[in-house]
């Protein structure tokens, strides 16, 4: 409990130290009298005496306990002073009034602070007073501590390079011991990938550390594809995470992905081996790789520098992307960081034994000619590696794994099944939305097709109809023609008949005899003639 | 993929608890995490539901000690609309992207049945947007501006008699979607005793209707005490003000009446300070977390099930997202193909029909003309017949005429002779 409170206070001070406040009174966590304030004010170590008013603007790189004490002291002093001043003013010496005056001081400070802070971005709204969301980081802090942290570290390297020793030295715990031997002790016939989980606690922070090691790496005569089981392992973890993330019923997803891979380079002094290059080339886009020069107490400083340069050259030559420690915004911090960053790749020495040097107990390796201290920056880069890896960038390693490597994997995995087997350009929509869009596209396509077909259809129908009509009119015309011709003929005939009739009548009238009579007579005559036809004829002839 | 031989025994072994023999330094982990999140900035989204004129905008101004541009809304809007504005605030070195969403026209309509529909739709739309982003192939969740509503402040009318039915209905619909904090608005119209009765009435109504309002978390020791005591004060009776009145030697937010001045930040006058503490200073992060872990997960689950995804297929074997998606996709493509084929088919049939029709018409036409032709032919023959007849008649006539002429000439001679004989 007290630890937590201490953490809390450290937390709040961390932010307070960033303020350019005058007199040490700060607006980040102002004292609101009525509400139970956070443990900070109550847990102030009683020993904090009104010492010098320094410390408020101390370098916040890593709030060392001494700085905290000073700042706390300053705050206490300042608040006491404020209270005293208030007491001096106040006519009504009621406690409430005091508290209110205190608030007034605070308010004044805050107002002036806000005045000073009037270089805000144009978009940012200015606050006229205390709101309180500056406490948000504290809330996040509390929740994070409660949740606990986890981290998965992979160590890869040939047997005998001191991997287990280094891990033990880094975490100051017997992760590898006689009961749990290190990878070099466990080499089997084929390359294995094995994990061990340990729970470490420090100052109230719980860290579940998973160490992944690869016994047998580079051990065989033919080491082709010895990286394959490792790649498979990394991708299996990604796949597990992806599946867990994609479930319908999601519980808290356990993060077992590999966050960092320490690759151990043998201290040959000459450069990278082909196996090193192959491995890093294949894994640099799947996991954060931090190359480490192992057993560097066999290299003199010059050889070490030369070796490092060589390695960096080869790395850039082969376009290997090792993990880059990012810069922080804070200037002082980044200065410190830069010094450490320049030591990449870290040349480390590890040790499980503690030796006494100048009365101090240090971890080191005892040689006849001296003692190589592990935690001495002049002897090796162990401190640099530990600080960069654990104290400053552990969270960043996790973030990069989550945001970059995992997303890449996910992209590859999902895009692979989105399109029909062809690795085409990855459309930046989620697959379901894509399906919806495809449906819509298809519908419009179908509509278009439909209208097109309709058009063609109509056109053809019209054509055919037109043709039919034409032939109809044509036939009609011809028929008309023929009809007219016929009618003309009929008319002609009529006329002719009329003429004939007229002629006949005229003749009949003029001769007073009708054709009928003549016909009758001829018939009679014919009948007589049939009796003596010749005579008649002769008779007729005789007359004339 | 080659099978990975993981040492099962080792993995499944219990996690070992180890003691550290020195200071490693990972106790800075929370700091690292916090630094990162401060760098990224924080996001918080508030939704204010309440009738027009209850003082929502004024309360927001008071809570965040600034003045957000807001125009008072009219009372005659036909439907409820939601207006959201995003502001960037900064306090010390903490940047907050605050989105305040207001319901405009809530409770003004005569028929309020659809009032909360707009609100539910808005909340669902934010969840949907996040879900879509999460399901994308190429996604950037860390850079995504989270617009999901983290807290809903429900403004209750200070009638003194309990909740209105629309309040109950609305809160019931929203309590599984968003963290609800009920607030008694314009609390300076209620006296202390009336307030107690009012609060207990509200709480009993909420409980009897099964409405789950947001409970401040009591599992974290450092804030458990404060949160438990605050939980007893819910719903908070608040007063907001944009006017400042000089009290002592400083300006305080207050409302000035002839009979006295209500100070917003005075705890004995109203619960404003409590609300601010709970909402902003102590539980903002928890509300954000609950929205993400509980409400959003619920929405996501429902939505995925709606779309047909399950974790377990019919044989009770676990089914992965990809499998379901593949199946869906092939179904989907099949469907599309089928639709296309159907349409084509339909067209083919249509064309055939029309062709048959036209052929019929053509045949009819030909028939008609054949008939006409035949008629014509008939007529012609008839004409020919008549002509022939006429010609025959003419010929006969001419013959007879000739015959007659001949006869006539001879007979006329004959007559002459007779005449002549008589005369003798």
């Amino acid at each position: 409990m007290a630890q937590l409170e201490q953490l809390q206070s450290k937390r709040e001070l961390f932010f307070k130290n960033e303020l350019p406040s005058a007199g040490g009174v700060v607006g980040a966590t102002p004292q609101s009298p009525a509400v139970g304030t956070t443990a900070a004010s109550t847990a102030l170590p009683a020993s904090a005496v009104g010492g010098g008013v320094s410390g408020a603007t101390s370098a916040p790189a890593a709030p060392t306990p001494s700085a905290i004490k000073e700042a706390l002291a300053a705050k206490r002093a300042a608040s006491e002073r404020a209270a005293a001043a208030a007491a001096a003013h106040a006519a009504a010496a009621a406690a409430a009034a005091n508290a209110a005056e205190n608030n007034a001081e605070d308010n004044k400070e805050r107002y002036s602070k806000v005045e000073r802070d009037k270089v805000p971005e144009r978009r940012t709204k200015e606050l006229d007073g205390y709101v309180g969301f500056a406490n948000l980081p504290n809330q996040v802090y509390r929740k994070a501590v409660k949740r606990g942290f986890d981290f998965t570290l992979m160590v890869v390297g040939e047997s005998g390079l001191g991997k287990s020793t280094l891990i033990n030295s880094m975490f100051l715990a017997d992760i590898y011991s006689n009961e749990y031997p290190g990878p070099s002790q466990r080499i089997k016939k084929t390359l294995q990938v094995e994990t061990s989980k340990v729970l470490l606690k420090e100052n109230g922070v719980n860290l579940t550390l998973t160490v992944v090691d690869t016994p047998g790496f580079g051990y065989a005569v033919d080491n082709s594809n010895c990286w394959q089981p490792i790649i498979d392992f990394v991708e299996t973890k990604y796949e597990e995470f992806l599946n867990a993330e994609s479930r319908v019923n999601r519980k808290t997803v356990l993060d077992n992905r590999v966050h960092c891979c320490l690759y151990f380079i043998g201290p040959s002094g000459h450069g990278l081996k082909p196996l090193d290059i192959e491995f890093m080339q294949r894994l640099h886009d799947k996991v954060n790789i931090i190359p480490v020069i192992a057993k560097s107490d066999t290299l003199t400083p010059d050889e070490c520098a030369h070796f490092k340069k060589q390695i960096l050259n080869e790395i850039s030559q082969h376009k290997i992307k090792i993990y880059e420690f990012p810069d922080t915004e804070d200037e002082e911090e980044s200065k410190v960081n830069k010094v450490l960053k320049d030591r990449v790749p870290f040349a480390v020495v590890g040790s499980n034994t503690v030796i006494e040097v100048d009365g101090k107990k240090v971890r080191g390796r005892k040689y006849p000619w001296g003692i190589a201290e592990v935690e001495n920056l002049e002897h090796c880069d162990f401190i640099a590696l530990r600080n960069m890896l654990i104290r400053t960038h552990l969270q960043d390693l996790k973030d990069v794994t989550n945001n970059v490597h995992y997303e890449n994997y996910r992209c590859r995995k999902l895009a692979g099944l989105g399109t029909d087997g062809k690795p085409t350009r990855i459309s930046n929509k989620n697959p379901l939305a894509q399906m919806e869009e495809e449906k819509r596209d298809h519908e419009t396509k179908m509509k278009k097709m439909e209208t097109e077909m309709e058009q063609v259809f109509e056109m053809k129908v019209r054509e055919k109809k037109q043709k039919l009509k034409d032939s109809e009119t044509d036939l009609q015309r011809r028929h008309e023609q023929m009809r007219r011709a016929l009618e003309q003929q009929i008319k002609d005939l009529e006329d002719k008949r009329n003429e004939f009739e007229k002629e006949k009548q005229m003749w009949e009238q003029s001769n007073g005899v009708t054709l009928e009579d003549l016909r009758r007579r001829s018939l009679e005559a014919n009948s007589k003639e049939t009796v003596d036809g010749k005579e008649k004829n002769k008779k007729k002839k005789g007359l004339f | 993929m080659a099978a990975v031989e993981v040492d099962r025994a080792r993995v499944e072994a219990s996690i070992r608890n180890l003691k550290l023999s020195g200071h490693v330094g990972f106790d800075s982990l929370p700091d690292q995490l916090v630094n990162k999140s401060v760098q990224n900035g924080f996001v918080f989204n508030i939704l204010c539901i309440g009738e027009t004129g209850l003082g929502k905008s004024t309360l927001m101004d008071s809570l965040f000690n600034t003045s957000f541009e807001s125009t008072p809304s009219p009372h005659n809007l036909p439907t409820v609309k939601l207006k959201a504005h995003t502001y960037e605030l900064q306090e010390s070195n903490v940047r907050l992207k605050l989105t305040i969403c207001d319901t405009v026209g809530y409770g003004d309509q005569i028929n309020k049945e659809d009032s909360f529909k707009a609100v539910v739709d808005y909340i669902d739309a934010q969840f949907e947007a996040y879900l879509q982003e999460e399901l994308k192939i190429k996604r950037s969740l860390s850079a995504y501006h989270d617009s999901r509503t983290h807290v809903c402040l429900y403004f209750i009318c200070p009638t003194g008699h309990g909740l209105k039915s629309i309040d109950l209905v609305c809160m019931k619909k929203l309590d599984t979607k968003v963290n609800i904090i009920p607030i008694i608005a314009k609390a300076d119209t209620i006296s202390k005793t009336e307030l107690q009765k009012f609060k207990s009435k509200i709480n009993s109504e909420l409980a009897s209707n099964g409405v789950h309002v947001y409970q401040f978390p009591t599992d974290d020791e450092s804030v458990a005490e404060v949160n438990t005591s605050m939980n007893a004060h819910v719903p908070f009776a608040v007063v907001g003000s944009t006017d400042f009145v000089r009290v002592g030697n400083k300006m305080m937010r207050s409302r000035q009446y002839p009979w006295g001045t209500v100070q917003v930040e005075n705890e004995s006058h109203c619960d404003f300070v409590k609300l601010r503490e709970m909402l902003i200073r102590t539980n903002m992060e928890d509300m954000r977390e609950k929205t993400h872990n509980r409400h959003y997960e619920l929405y996501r689950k429902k939505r995925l099930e709606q779309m047909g995804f399950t974790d377990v297929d019919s044989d009770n074997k676990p089914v992965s997202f990809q499998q379901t998606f593949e199946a869906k996709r092939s179904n989907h493509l099949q469907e599309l193909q089928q639709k296309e084929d159907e349409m084509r088919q339909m067209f083919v049939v249509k064309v055939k029909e029309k062709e048959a029709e036209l052929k019929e018409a053509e045949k009819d036409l030909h028939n008609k003309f054949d008939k006409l032709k035949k008629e014509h032919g008939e007529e012609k023959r008839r004409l020919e017949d008549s002509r022939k007849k006429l010609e025959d008649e003419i010929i006969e006539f001419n013959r007879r005429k000739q015959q007659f002429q001949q006869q006539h000439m001879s007979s006329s001679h004959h007559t002459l002779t007779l005449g002549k004989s008589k005369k003798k």
Side-chain angles (χ1 to χ4, degrees), chain A residues 11 139 428 430 519, chain B residues 31 132 138 281 297 396:
Chain A
R11 164 104 304 284
Q139 301 177 25
N428 197 9
N430 78 69
R519 257 193 229 122
Chain B
D31 284 321
Q132 292 297 331
K138 233 192 203 169
R281 198 160 170 269
E297 285 299 315
E396 198 203 337

Side-chain angles (χ1 to χ4, degrees), chain A residues 11 14-15 34 123-136 139-144 146-147 170-172 175 180 186 193 195 197-203 232 245-250 390-392 394-396 399 407 410-411 417-418 428-432 435 438 442 446 449 453-454 457 461 464 468 472 475-476 482 486 489-490 493 497 500 503-504 507 513 518-519 522 544, chain B residues 2 4-5 10-11 16-18 20-36 63-67 88-91 93 132 134-139 219-220 222-223 267 276 280-286 289 297 300-301 307 309 311 321-322 325-326 329 332 336 340 343 347 350-351 354 358 362 365 369 376 379 383 386-387 390 393 396-397 400-401 404 410 413:
Chain A
R11 164 104 304 284
F14 195 66
F15 284 100
R123 286 176 293 132
T124 325
K125 263 210 164 298
E126 287 154 23
L127 302 174
D128 304 326
Y130 164 67
V131 178
F133 60 80
N135 205 31
L136 259 176
Q139 301 177 25
V140 175
Y141 188 91
R142 258 188 292 121
K143 282 198 178 287
K146 193 150 158 276
R147 259 200 312 260
M170 264 219 299
F171 291 97
L172 292 175
I175 300 176
Y180 296 92
R186 302 187 332 256
V193 179
T195 61
K197 257 197 169 99
V198 295
L199 175 61
L200 304 170
K201 291 195 207 195
E202 189 177 55
N203 281 340
D232 293 343
E245 200 189 39
S246 313
R247 283 173 65 87
V248 174
N249 288 314
R250 296 197 291 202
I390 301 179
R391 293 191 185 174
T392 25
L394 202 70
Q395 186 60 37
D396 186 64
D399 288 340
E407 289 297 321
R410 185 175 176 278
C411 238
L417 61 90
N428 197 9
K429 301 178 199 76
N430 78 69
L432 295 166
M435 264 188 1
E438 272 179 12
H442 190 260
M446 292 238 300
M449 233 171 54
M453 291 220 259
E454 287 259 1
F457 179 71
V461 163
K464 207 91 193 269
L468 210 64
E472 187 178 343
L475 282 174
Q476 189 89 352
M482 285 202 298
L486 195 66
Q489 284 180 347
I490 290 179
L493 193 66
R497 174 170 279 276
F500 170 67
E503 200 187 317
K504 189 169 98 176
W507 185 82
V513 75
L518 288 177
R519 257 193 229 122
S522 72
F544 291 90
Chain B
V4 171
E5 287 187 33
R10 208 149 259 165
V11 163
R16 288 179 283 150
N17 255 312
L18 292 182
L20 302 175
S21 54
H23 179 75
V24 178
F26 60 79
D27 54 351
S28 68
L29 259 177
D31 284 321
Q32 295 179 30
L33 184 64
V34 170
N35 276 353
K36 254 278 152 75
L63 263 180
F64 288 98
N65 248 324
T66 178
S67 64
E88 289 226 15
L89 307 173
Q90 180 159 359
E91 193 178 33
N93 64 338
Q132 292 297 331
E134 202 187 25
L135 288 177
K136 273 197 201 166
I137 293 182
K138 233 192 203 169
R139 60 189 189 181
D219 46 2
D220 187 357
S222 45
V223 291
E267 290 223 41
R276 186 176 61 189
I280 301 178
R281 198 160 170 269
T282 319
N283 296 307
M284 211 179 220
E285 181 61 23
D286 181 71
E289 232 185 55
E297 285 299 315
R300 177 177 179 277
K301 189 168 108 156
M307 292 201 272
F309 288 93
D311 278 334
F321 184 84
Q322 275 93 297
F325 177 71
E326 271 284 273
R329 196 184 164 78
H332 171 80
L336 293 184
E340 213 173 302
M343 197 178 86
F347 251 105
K350 203 159 147 193
V351 163
K354 208 51 186 250
L358 286 178
E362 205 175 333
L365 185 71
F369 273 98
H376 181 93
E379 285 234 358
L383 176 72
S386 323
R387 187 196 297 259
L390 180 66
E393 280 188 22
E396 198 203 337
F397 174 66
R400 297 257 181 239
K401 198 161 93 173
F404 186 75
S410 64
H413 282 299

Side-chain angles (χ1 to χ4, degrees), chain B residues 71-85:
Chain B
T71 49
S73 32
H75 277 271
N76 53 5
L77 294 169
T79 50
V80 176
K81 285 215 191 23
L82 284 105
K83 291 215 175 86
H85 296 284

Side-chain angles (χ1 to χ4, degrees), chain A residues 375-485:
Chain A
E375 295 183 6
N376 189 332
L377 263 180
E378 291 171 26
H379 292 193
C380 72
D381 299 331
F382 174 81
I383 294 280
L385 173 66
R386 186 191 63 188
N387 286 359
M388 295 296 274
L389 181 63
I390 301 179
R391 293 191 185 174
T392 25
H393 293 101
L394 202 70
Q395 186 60 37
D396 186 64
L397 283 164
K398 287 174 73 170
D399 288 340
V400 171
T401 309
N402 186 36
N403 296 341
V404 177
H405 297 297
Y406 171 68
E407 289 297 321
N408 280 344
Y409 169 80
R410 185 175 176 278
C411 238
R412 264 180 286 138
K413 193 95 202 290
L414 289 184
L417 61 90
T419 54
D420 20 281
K422 293 177 279 176
T424 54
R425 49 141 188 78
I426 299 168
S427 76
N428 197 9
K429 301 178 199 76
N430 78 69
L432 295 166
Q434 200 176 21
M435 264 188 1
E436 292 286 308
E437 209 181 280
E438 272 179 12
K439 208 179 194 160
R440 262 176 287 144
D441 281 348
H442 190 260
E443 262 171 43
T444 38
K445 188 175 94 170
M446 292 238 300
K447 269 206 178 67
K448 215 166 75 162
M449 233 171 54
E450 196 173 339
T451 42
E452 265 180 28
M453 291 220 259
E454 287 259 1
Q455 268 182 356
V456 166
F457 179 71
E458 286 298 313
M459 205 175 66
K460 285 238 163 79
V461 163
R462 244 179 305 145
E463 261 182 31
K464 207 91 193 269
K465 277 209 176 127
Q466 191 68 21
K467 227 168 55 174
L468 210 64
K469 212 174 190 151
D470 285 347
S471 72
E472 187 178 343
T473 42
D474 193 50
L475 282 174
Q476 189 89 352
R477 196 171 30 90
R478 269 192 284 151
H479 173 79
E480 282 291 315
Q481 253 182 6
M482 285 202 298
R483 181 164 209 86
R484 258 180 277 131

Side-chain angles (χ1 to χ4, degrees), chain B residues 316-378:
Chain B
N316 257 7
K317 273 192 291 217
V319 157
S320 80
F321 184 84
Q322 275 93 297
Q323 279 175 296
T324 324
F325 177 71
E326 271 284 273
K328 271 185 161 298
R329 196 184 164 78
S330 54
N331 270 353
H332 171 80
L333 288 176
Q334 252 181 15
E335 248 180 54
L336 293 184
Q337 193 62 29
Q338 214 181 19
K339 273 209 192 126
E340 213 173 302
D341 289 340
E342 264 179 29
M343 197 178 86
R344 282 226 173 82
Q345 203 59 25
M346 188 188 77
F347 251 105
V348 165
V349 164
K350 203 159 147 193
V351 163
K352 270 214 184 90
E353 270 181 19
K354 208 51 186 250
E355 263 187 12
E357 235 180 72
L358 286 178
K359 252 203 176 73
E360 280 284 320
E362 205 175 333
K363 210 161 61 162
D364 281 348
L365 185 71
H366 281 294
N367 283 350
K368 181 165 123 194
F369 273 98
D370 280 346
K371 205 164 77 170
L372 283 178
K373 214 160 160 191
K374 234 195 312 188
E375 275 178 17
H376 181 93
E378 292 258 337

